[in-house]
Structures are given as C-alpha cells and as structure tokens.
Amino acid sequence: METTLAKTSQQRQVVFLTMLLLLRVSGSEAIKYSMPEETESGYLVANLAKDLGLKVGELATRGARIHHRGNKDLLQLDAETGNLFLKEKLDREVLCGLTEPCVLQFQIILKNPVQFFQTELQLTDINDHSPEFPDTEMLLTIPENVHPGTVFPLKAAQDSDIGSNAVQNYTVSPNLHFHVVTHSRTDGRKYPELVLDRALDREEQPELTLILTALDGGAPRRSGMTAVHIEVVDINDNAPQFVQSLYEVQVPENIPLDALVVTVSATDLDAGIYGNVAYSLFQGSRDSQPFVIDEITGEIRLSKELDFEVAPYYNVEIAAVDGGGLSGKCTVAVQVLDVNDNAPELTISTFSSPVPENSPETVVLVFGVFDQDSGDNGRMVCSIQNEHPFLLKSTFENYYTLVTERPLDRESRAEYNITITVSDLGTPRLTTQHTITVKVSDINDNAPAFTQTSYTMFVRENNSPALHIGTISATDSDSGSNAHITYSLLPPRDPQLALDSLISINADNGQLFALRALDYEALQSFEFLVGATDGGSPALSSQALVRVVVLDDNDNVPFVLYPLQNASPPCTELLPRAAEPGYLVTKVVAVDQDSGQNAWLSFQLLKATEPGLFSVWAHNGEVRTARLLSERDVPKHKLLLLVKDNGEPQRSASVTLHVLLVDGFSQPYLPLPEVALDPTYDEDNLTLYLVVALASVSSLFLLSVLLFVGVRLCRRARASSLGGYSVPEGHLPSHLVDVSGMGTLSQSYQYEVCLMGESGTTDFKFLKPSIPNSFIADN
C-alpha cells in the first residue's frame, strides 16, 4: 500500500513512510516490495517466511541466504523469525540516479532442496532535494526592438529527485515586461522560457533583474532561486539559427579522449558583430558533461572517458550567441554504444566439500554469473571439463548448480580439480575461469577382503600353550574407521568342536594361537571360519576358512595286544616237541597310536631260556622254532621280546612269552593231515584258515562238543606223564581292542584262543568268536 499526504497551507512536514508489499506469485515471478528512500536502518521490510509460504524457522533449517548483485549487503534476514530488515539507510539518488523506477534486485537461496526466489525492492522517491540552478545569476542581453511574445530560453534548475518530487514549475518575480513559461522535455524534465509581454525601451529602463524560482511537486514543496539580469541593447533583429534543432549521434564507449563526436552549425543573418556566432554548452559544466565544444568551429569533442554501464546516453544542449546577444539553441543526443570491455563475474553462493561417494546428483556448488555489458556482450555460456563426472545445471536466470553426474568412488579418485569457464558472446570474447577442488569423502562400501580364501596351518602335537600357529590377513579399500579391520572366530560348523578352547585370534592383527597342547591321536585336523569386520556403519565383513593340521609326534609307546602282559595267570603257549623248524609258536600282536613311520613296528628277540631255539620275524611278530626240539631241551621256556617303533626318538615295549613243551595234542588240536609244511606260508594263509574255521564251527558244532570233551581227558593223561607240569586248562583269553587301523589288527573283536600244534602246522584256530558274523585277521 502506498500513502500520499496532501500538502497543507502551513506545509507541514510529513514523517510517515509508506511501504508497498506485492504478494508472491507462483512460478518465476519476483516477490516485490516497495519502501521510501532514506528509511532508517533496522526498518522491518516484511516477513519473508510468510510471503514465501514457509513455516517459522524453516528459513534457518534450510540455510536461507540473501545474495545481492554487486556483493553489497543492503538487507538483513533474521532466519529464525523470517523478518527482513533494512541494514542501512538507502539513498535512491546514490543507488539509481535518474533511473526510474529504482528497483534493487536480490535473490533468496534455500538449500535442501536448492530453491531460488527473485525479490525486488523498489525505492520510492521522497522530496529530500531542493531545485538548484547551475549559476546564481543568469545574464540576458535583449535588444530593445524585440517584439512582445518573443521567447528567451533560460537555464533549467537541477533536482536529484524524480517524478512529482522533481521540478514541476517555474515562476518569476512580478514585473511589467516578462512572464515565465514551463515546458517539458522528452525525458519529462521541466525547463523555463522567459516570454516578453511588453516591449522594452532601453532609454526608459536599460536593465532589470528578475528572480526566477523553480518549484518541485513534493510535499512539502521545495524551491530554488536564481537572479536573471537583463540588459537592454540596441537593435539586433536576427538570432542565430542552428541547421538542425536535434543532432543524434552514436559513439562507442571506448572512443579515445579528444575524439570528434559531432560538429554543430548555426547561422546569423546579421552582419558585423551581430553576425558572429559563438558556441557554448548551454547547460552544465565540464564537470557534469564529458564533452567540450569549440566556440568558433562548433566541434564537440570527448573530454572524459565514456562508460556504457554508467551512462548509456547524454543529452547535450548547445547555445549559439551572436555579437548582439541573440542566441539560438539545439540539442545533441549522444547514444553510447556498448563494447565488450567487461569480463564475466562469477560469485559462489554455496560450496559443499567433501562430497560423500556413492551419492548421485549431489549439489556441490551453487554460483551466479554476471556481466555488466549488454546484448551479446552480456550473454554468457558456462562450461566445465568433460572428463569429470559432474554436470552444470542452469537453475534460475544466471544461477547454476554443479551436481554429480553419477555416484563417485573415493577408492578410484579422492578429489577433483574442476575449472568453471564463463565466456560472454561478445567480440572479442572475454572469459573468466574459477577452479575449485572437490574432495570425495569415504563411505563404507567395501567389505574386507582376505588375501586367501582359505588358509592351511600346520602345528605339531604336544605344542606349548599360546603357540603362534599362523596369521590371516585382510585388506579394506576404504579409509579411516571404515578400513579398520577387526578379526574374530566364527561359530564352528561342528557343534561338538570346542573351538574356544583350542584357538584364539588377535582381533587387531589376525594372529592365531593354539590355547592348549594338541593331541594328534585325539584330533588330527579341524576347520573353522574366521571373520574380518571393518569399523564402518553399517559394518561390512567377510570370512575365510582356516584348516589346522596336527602333525604327529612319536609320543606313544607300542601297546601289546597279545599276549596280555601282567595277566594273572600268565598266558602260556604250548609247543609240541615234534614241531619242525619254522613252526609257528605264537604271534605277538601290538599297535602304536601314532601314525606314519611313528607307528611302523618291528620285533626283536632280546632274551631266551634256550638261545637259538626260537626266532622272531621282525615285521609281523611271529615267533617260530629255529631248529628241531630235542630231549635235552627244557620243557619251560621264557622269551623276552622287544617291540619298537620307527619314530624319533624311538620308543619300545617289552613282551614276555611263556612256552611249554608238550609231547603232543589230542585230535582237535592237531593240524589237518593234508596241509604240508610250507615255509613260505604267510598271514594270507592264516586269514583263509580263519574263515574256514569260522564256517566249520557252525556246521560241526555237535562234533566240536564231543572233541572238546575228548581233549580235556587227553590233557589230564598227558599232564600226569610230564611229571607234574600243569598245562593250562580250558581256553586262553585274549582281548583285542580297535585301534582305528593303526597296528596289526584292523577290526574290533574278541576271541577265545587255543593253540593246536603239530610239527609242520602254523595255524590259529578261533573257537568262540564274540562277533560271529564278521572279522578280519591282519598280517
């Protein structure tokens, strides 16, 4: 709303200031405000948040900023309340000069998202300047024979105000000869002309002085005065006349000093001194006009440099005065042509760096470009290098945003040097370049990667606790905390594997430690997963397989399965005296819980009651006769055998055998007659006979019972004939234990064993198998 107070007769001073608020319109139309000039600083212009349709405080959260062209802050925004205040007192005449209307443009820039609002503040003129004449006194020489109605041009008063506050009227002091007429130029400015009402008479009044008053239209009205001194001269009845009343000329703004602009010409029909014409700048001084005129030739030349951006045109009034004092006037309209003499300007509004990677279409930079030239000289194009993943987008008039074209990858490139080139379309083209450095910040987009997908580590059993057995390693392409890797053990796939009691890991460097001594015989190898987790948010992880292989140590002595040691009573082997050399007395069965060469067993006869009578096969533990028995051989023999492995250090166990010589066995214990002695028989024959014997037990069960009774009766008779030596009665027990394939026996079984002997026989007979459906006898 704009309010105008009427002028009263007392010309009261008015202190009420008005403001015009134009409501915001949709689209790209500007929000317009209006206020009088010279308003005190701190004045509340408007509530910007309300006019923009925003909530209270939204301007603050969206980082509202005011951008003024020319980088001079005239307004101040309270982002919390949305109030827009005047930062300093504004002088319309200083900011806009004679330009009407006086509109100050500024932009409201919001972020998240980026928005632009064009805002205009129109300064209305107040009557704060009085009219002023160029001179305090004007001199007119008027011939006495001038007829009434003759017009005499007068210099106009200057008023910095505009519109109704500028000069509106001229008055002259009361007199008998003249009155003043006010005229308007094409630009709206008023100028006075003095009109003769009554003929002059030099003899009656050779001179007179009038007071010329210029009045503006403000409230209250202001005025300025000058004295017009009139000298009445003798007759000079022809005034100079210009060839043209209006000269129009165009000059470029870069025209050099003292260059000829235009030549004006006036003629006077009088002769003598009354016909001599002198030219002068009719209005203004050299300080206000960048031109000078040669009073003889009428040549108008440039006295000061022109600047299209300051003043695009000039109206120069030229007076021609003859020797008699008569004068004529013309106007020279000088239009200044723009040349491309101003390079584009780039102003950064917001700049965001670093930019997070993997964020497409992120606004990095908001900037505006300006060129003070006009036409093509003021039109601009903006560009950046094509090799960078960024785009320039035109957003609002001469404002641009620099956005990411695609997601950035910090691991590929951590920063970009972007050169923004702004060129106008003038001739020659002027260019401005501005380089910014955009850094890319890291996000956690890379999981740790192990150097191997699986690791195999070897550790010897009986290791010391907390032994370092190996190291796993992972790398992360991210940076900072996103690349800090923490190692951990993952739950084992086998729930029966107590991994926490076996292995520990250093969370910082991935070193693996064995927490306790490992036992190859209990655990030959095991597998588990390790995880590598980075420090990002959310954390990323990966895993790798670790296989730990336990290496065997020779930490177990051979164990004798047969004959049992420390048994009560000791097991006694029966040997018939008629046995041939190579007769199989018994077989020592032993195992070693170790593996490989640590479990390779060999047998050695250390001591015998009768040296040379018995021999032991080193690889299978078979005890055989080395020669024929004689009557001189003692009936009871004790053999000491050594069972040793092939490990380092070598371990061994001793075996004690008791052998009793007998004259013979009853039929169930005799060998089959068709089986002849073959020294090359080995354990394959033994296996075959065992299978045959097992099958025979089933078919001849009844016969076996009868033979068993006969054998018992036979043994009693032979025992009495040996002079008191007692022969173990019944069967000889032997418990064989499963050792999982390590040793001479491969299956778990238990047999009750009795030897049956005859010279030339090397067989075992198993009468009562504990597992009747399957068995295997190893060599």
Side-chain angles (χ1 to χ4, degrees):
M1 177 183 292
E2 180 176 346
T3 305
T4 305
L5 298 181
K7 175 181 179 183
T8 64
S9 58
Q10 295 82 8
Q11 295 184 348
R12 295 178 303 167
Q13 291 190 354
V14 179
V15 296
F16 179 79
L17 302 179
T18 62
M19 182 184 72
L20 178 62
L21 172 64
L22 299 178
L23 296 178
R24 170 187 166 190
V25 295
S26 61
S28 61
E29 295 183 2
I31 302 174
K32 300 180 179 180
Y33 300 101
S34 177
M35 62 177 294
E37 66 170 333
E38 300 297 333
T39 303
E40 294 295 328
S41 62
Y43 178 79
L44 176 61
V45 178
N47 186 285
L48 193 59
K50 180 178 178 182
D51 295 338
L52 295 179
L54 303 176
K55 298 180 181 179
V56 176
E58 189 173 353
L59 290 176
T61 58
R62 295 183 62 183
R65 294 183 54 203
I66 298 179
H67 186 272
H68 304 268
R69 183 174 297 182
N71 297 325
K72 183 177 181 181
D73 296 336
L74 303 177
L75 300 174
Q76 182 176 358
L77 175 63
D78 186 344
E80 296 295 336
T81 63
N83 291 331
L84 187 63
F85 296 97
L86 190 62
K87 193 170 183 180
E88 64 183 39
K89 184 184 292 186
L90 304 181
D91 189 345
R92 190 202 66 80
E93 286 74 24
V94 173
L95 295 174
C96 298
L98 296 178
T99 303
E100 178 65 15
C102 181
V103 177
L104 304 179
Q105 296 184 348
F106 60 95
Q107 293 78 33
I108 308 299
I109 303 175
L110 303 181
K111 297 189 293 186
N112 302 323
V114 175
Q115 284 186 283
F116 296 83
F117 297 93
Q118 179 70 30
T119 310
E120 296 179 357
L121 176 61
Q122 180 176 350
L123 293 180
T124 58
D125 186 51
I126 64 173
N127 193 22
D128 56 343
H129 293 86
S130 297
E132 293 181 1
F133 286 91
D135 303 310
T136 58
E137 184 179 73
M138 289 187 286
L139 177 63
L140 293 179
T141 56
I142 302 176
E144 62 179 346
N145 62 342
V146 173
H147 298 287
T150 302
V151 177
F152 302 92
L154 300 175
K155 294 181 180 181
Q158 304 296 318
D159 194 336
S160 299
D161 297 322
I162 61 172
S164 62
N165 294 327
V167 175
Q168 300 295 319
N169 191 26
Y170 292 88
T171 62
V172 71
S173 59
N175 64 92
L176 297 176
H177 296 279
F178 298 92
H179 75 273
V180 70
V181 178
T182 303
H183 294 284
S184 296
R185 294 193 180 97
T186 56
D187 58 0
R189 290 185 293 172
K190 310 293 184 180
Y191 65 94
E193 288 184 342
L194 196 62
V195 180
L196 182 63
D197 295 329
R198 180 182 173 184
L200 297 173
D201 186 357
R202 182 179 178 279
E203 287 72 21
E204 180 182 345
Q205 189 177 8
E207 65 181 23
L208 58 95
T209 300
L210 305 177
I211 302 300
L212 180 63
T213 303
L215 298 172
D216 64 18
R221 300 186 73 175
R222 294 175 178 268
S223 62
M225 295 182 295
T226 186
V228 180
H229 186 70
I230 301 173
E231 293 181 355
V232 182
V233 297
D234 285 341
I235 296 174
N236 179 26
D237 55 353
N238 289 288
Q241 295 291 326
F242 280 93
V243 177
Q244 297 175 226
S245 61
L246 176 64
Y247 290 84
E248 294 180 340
V249 61
Q250 295 179 339
V251 294
E253 63 175 326
N254 62 346
I255 185 174
L257 294 178
D258 202 38
L260 179 63
V261 178
V262 68
T263 300
V264 297
S265 178
T267 60
D268 194 315
L269 298 178
D270 293 323
I273 61 172
Y274 296 126
N276 296 330
V277 177
Y279 301 97
S280 64
L281 296 177
F282 181 71
Q283 180 143 2
S285 61
R286 292 187 177 182
D287 294 335
S288 60
Q289 296 282 358
F291 306 102
V292 293
I293 188 169
D294 188 300
E295 63 179 9
I296 303 300
T297 63
E299 292 180 348
I300 299 176
R301 295 183 179 274
L302 187 66
S303 62
K304 293 191 300 185
E305 291 183 351
L306 301 179
D307 190 348
F308 173 84
E309 288 72 35
V310 175
Y313 62 88
Y314 293 92
N315 284 322
V316 183
E317 293 181 343
I318 307 299
V321 181
D322 62 17
L326 295 181
S327 63
K329 188 183 70 169
C330 74
T331 300
V332 178
V334 180
Q335 181 181 358
V336 182
L337 301 179
D338 183 39
V339 296
N340 194 24
D341 58 345
N342 291 282
E345 301 175 7
L346 186 148
T347 304
I348 294 178
S349 299
T350 59
F351 178 42
S352 301
S353 180
V355 178
E357 63 175 334
N358 295 341
S359 298
E361 297 188 2
T362 300
V363 177
V364 179
L365 181 69
V366 179
F367 65 94
V369 292
F370 309 96
D371 196 316
Q372 296 182 14
D373 296 320
S374 62
D376 288 341
N377 297 332
R379 282 192 284 270
M380 296 160 289
V381 291
C382 227
S383 64
I384 60 174
Q385 306 100 305
N386 293 328
E387 66 268 17
H388 293 326
F390 295 90
L391 289 176
L392 275 180
K393 291 186 177 181
S394 178
T395 55
F396 180 80
E397 289 188 353
N398 290 332
Y399 281 89
Y400 294 85
T401 56
L402 180 68
V403 299
T404 55
E405 182 181 12
R406 60 180 183 269
L408 304 180
D409 186 7
R410 188 204 64 82
E411 290 72 36
S412 298
R413 188 165 182 179
E415 70 177 29
Y416 296 86
N417 290 322
I418 303 174
T419 299
I420 303 172
T421 302
V422 186
S423 301
D424 60 26
L425 301 180
T427 303
R429 285 194 173 191
L430 299 181
T431 300
T432 297
Q433 289 186 333
H434 187 84
T435 301
I436 61 173
T437 299
V438 179
K439 297 184 180 297
V440 183
S441 62
D442 185 50
I443 66 173
N444 194 26
D445 58 345
N446 289 281
F450 281 95
T451 56
Q452 301 175 218
T453 57
S454 63
Y455 296 82
T456 301
M457 300 180 183
F458 298 91
V459 57
R460 193 164 293 280
E461 67 171 330
N462 302 321
N463 58 282
S464 59
L467 175 67
H468 176 225
I469 63 173
T471 302
I472 60 171
S473 178
T475 58
D476 197 311
S477 301
D478 296 318
S479 65
S481 60
N482 295 333
H484 180 72
I485 298 176
T486 301
Y487 300 92
S488 61
L489 298 176
L490 300 181
R493 300 172 181 174
D494 185 2
Q496 297 181 355
L497 179 63
L499 185 62
D500 291 340
S501 64
L502 295 174
I503 298 295
S504 70
I505 189 171
N506 188 313
D508 296 324
N509 55 28
Q511 291 183 346
L512 292 170
F513 299 90
L515 295 178
R516 60 180 176 83
L518 301 179
D519 186 2
Y520 173 84
E521 288 70 36
L523 185 64
Q524 286 79 36
S525 65
F526 58 93
E527 295 179 349
F528 58 91
L529 295 175
V530 292
T533 306
D534 60 27
S537 179
L540 300 179
S541 62
S542 60
Q543 61 186 23
L545 178 67
V546 178
R547 174 179 173 84
V548 177
V549 177
V550 182
L551 301 178
D552 184 44
D553 265 351
N554 193 25
D555 58 343
N556 290 280
V557 298
F559 180 75
V560 178
L561 297 177
Y562 181 84
L564 288 179
Q565 302 299 297
N566 301 323
S568 181
C571 181
T572 301
E573 304 296 336
L574 300 180
L575 175 62
R577 288 185 176 271
E580 295 290 332
Y583 178 86
L584 177 62
V585 179
T586 186
K587 181 175 183 178
V588 177
V589 181
V591 295
D592 195 315
Q593 294 185 9
D594 294 320
S595 66
Q597 66 179 9
N598 295 331
W600 297 349
L601 300 182
S602 60
F603 302 86
Q604 179 182 356
L605 180 60
L606 293 181
K607 186 178 180 180
T609 303
E610 187 70 33
L613 180 57
F614 299 96
S615 65
V616 177
W617 286 25
H619 299 295
N620 58 15
E622 292 181 353
V623 180
R624 297 178 180 271
T625 57
R627 59 177 175 82
L628 291 173
L629 298 176
S630 65
E631 293 298 332
R632 292 178 299 175
D633 293 326
V634 296
K636 294 179 64 178
H637 293 265
K638 182 178 181 181
L639 306 179
L640 180 61
L641 280 74
L642 181 66
V643 182
K644 57 184 179 181
D645 59 26
N646 197 36
E648 182 63 37
Q650 195 174 59
R651 297 179 178 273
S652 61
S654 60
V655 182
T656 301
L657 291 178
H658 296 275
V659 179
L660 180 62
L661 301 181
V662 296
D663 290 335
F665 292 134
S666 57
Q667 185 63 34
Y669 294 96
L670 294 177
L672 295 176
E674 66 271 18
V675 179
L677 176 63
D678 187 0
T680 63
Y681 272 12
D682 56 16
E683 44 210 329
D684 289 336
N685 296 345
L686 176 61
T687 302
L688 177 62
Y689 291 146
L690 289 175
V691 174
V692 173
L694 184 59
S696 301
V697 170
S698 300
S699 60
L700 301 176
F701 176 76
L702 180 59
L703 179 60
S704 297
V705 173
L706 296 177
L707 292 176
F708 178 73
V709 173
V711 167
R712 289 179 62 87
L713 295 176
C714 181
R715 283 184 176 179
R716 288 180 181 178
R718 289 187 179 181
S720 58
S721 65
L722 291 175
Y725 291 114
S726 63
V727 178
E729 185 175 318
H731 55 272
L732 301 177
S734 177
H735 301 276
L736 305 180
V737 182
D738 178 25
V739 290
S740 302
M742 295 180 293
T744 56
L745 300 180
S746 59
Q747 295 292 333
S748 177
Y749 54 88
Q750 178 180 347
Y751 291 95
E752 294 179 359
V753 133
C754 282
L755 288 174
M756 58 182 181
E758 181 181 311
S759 58
T761 301
T762 60
D763 293 330
F764 284 102
K765 187 173 179 99
F766 297 85
L767 298 180
K768 296 182 179 180
S770 300
I771 305 176
N773 58 343
S774 67
F775 72 93
I776 298 175
D778 218 351
N779 289 344

